[in-house]
Amino acid sequence: MKFPETLSAERRGLIERAAAALECSYGAGFLGMVLSGSAGRGVETERSDLDVIVVVTPELVGTPLTRNTELELLPVTLKHLETLAVFGDDQWGYRWSYAWAPTLLDKTGGRIAQAIERQTSLSAEEAHALLEMRLDAWLNMSYRSLKSARDGNLLEARMDAAEAMGPFLDVVFALDGQVRPYNKYLQWTLEHHPLKSWPSGELLNTIEQYLAGNAEAIRESLKHVQRSELPLVHEAFDEWSAEQYDALRHG
């Protein structure tokens, strides 16, 4: 088994014993293991759960796995790992749970590791579909925040800016071909897998200022995204009237 260097010897032992029990109980039906959650990304604390994805053959998914009370075993099939949920599906949220999660054991000739890697990134088609759904939502809430700030309604401006943050991050990561991380792992992701188009420190500062309802930061984020060469991005901006577009650009 291959463990991340950050995982303690005690936790490695727990997983090794669980793997041995699964091998004994399920034999060829036990296909591999992936370490998810905080432990899989080297940011666990003493309160963090130890979440291990156990890849099994279909007939074993509904069978209770041998469990250690100190870790959670999450059974999935290889087909599930190789199936890509699209934005809006109820399975979409699971895609980032697999992102950059280390494969501990792969008895499939590399298919588990390949599936995990594929879950992490967005194809051009996937990114396009996500942007179609999220660009307008981000622009609309940003516009509302800027109008509130212009009118002196600062609380409302911050609330609208906070509501814009979700679609904003969806857009920013999709433009880079990545699935947006959970908020808990945003800083970890930007440190270990930085975006090509936006320096991590600059983006984190923009997020801080955005959440404070800073109108200038919101406008700078709009300008930054608008530099994209994707026609879809420019079409989204072009749908706004001259008056509305002026509010997005100027106070």
Side-chain angles (χ1 to χ4, degrees):
M1 299 185 74
K2 298 180 180 179
F3 293 104
E5 293 181 358
T6 55
L7 196 66
S8 69
E10 179 182 1
R11 290 196 153 191
R12 293 184 189 198
L14 286 172
I15 295 172
E16 288 175 333
R17 289 191 291 275
L22 289 166
E23 185 71 49
C24 181
S25 298
Y26 303 113
F30 170 45
L31 302 179
M33 284 178 146
V34 176
L35 183 59
S36 188
S38 300
R41 296 167 180 89
V43 293
E44 76 271 25
T45 68
E46 59 184 17
R47 295 182 298 277
S48 297
D49 295 329
L50 189 57
D51 299 323
V52 178
I53 297 164
V54 179
V55 187
V56 296
T57 50
E59 66 273 11
L60 293 178
V61 169
T63 303
L65 299 181
T66 301
R67 293 177 181 269
N68 185 304
T69 57
E70 298 179 81
L71 61 82
E72 183 170 7
L73 303 177
L74 310 168
V76 302
T77 64
L78 182 58
K79 181 179 179 180
H80 170 81
L81 282 185
E82 292 179 332
T83 300
L84 300 170
V86 298
F87 185 81
D89 285 357
D90 57 3
Q91 296 293 309
W92 170 258
Y94 289 105
R95 280 193 66 166
W96 206 88
S97 68
Y98 303 133
W100 295 294
T103 300
L104 306 178
L105 176 66
D106 190 346
K107 298 163 63 178
T108 67
R111 288 177 64 184
I112 293 175
Q114 291 171 6
I116 291 294
E117 183 177 354
R118 181 62 185 86
Q119 291 280 0
T120 303
S121 60
L122 298 174
S123 67
E125 293 76 15
E126 288 173 321
H128 187 278
L130 190 153
L131 289 168
E132 280 190 320
M133 299 180 68
R134 298 301 268 171
L135 265 168
D136 284 341
W138 170 51
L139 288 173
N140 183 55
M141 294 312 303
S142 297
Y143 176 64
R144 290 175 180 272
S145 179
L146 290 169
K147 284 202 306 179
S148 292
R150 179 195 62 192
D151 296 339
N153 300 321
L154 301 184
L155 173 61
E156 291 81 353
R158 292 195 299 272
M159 292 174 67
D160 288 333
E163 197 165 336
M165 185 53 58
F168 168 61
L169 290 175
D170 284 332
V171 166
V172 169
F173 278 88
L175 287 172
D176 213 69
Q178 291 189 30
V179 175
R180 170 192 164 191
Y182 301 154
N183 293 338
K184 177 180 180 179
Y185 300 112
L186 175 63
Q187 294 192 65
W188 178 89
T189 303
L190 292 176
E191 178 182 352
H192 292 86
H193 305 280
L195 302 176
K196 299 182 184 71
S197 60
W198 208 323
S200 298
E202 182 182 314
L203 177 56
L204 288 171
N205 182 63
T206 296
I207 292 170
E208 291 277 3
Q209 296 301 314
Y210 210 114
L211 291 172
N214 184 311
E216 188 57 34
I218 294 173
R219 291 194 177 95
E220 283 301 316
S221 71
L222 293 164
K223 292 177 185 177
H224 193 112
V225 170
Q226 202 170 11
R227 296 188 193 114
S228 168
E229 297 179 357
L230 287 179
L232 175 64
V233 172
H234 298 282
E235 290 168 6
F237 279 87
D238 290 344
E239 291 178 358
W240 292 73
S241 69
E243 180 182 356
Q244 292 171 325
Y245 192 57
D246 192 60
L248 290 173
R249 292 181 299 172
H250 308 290

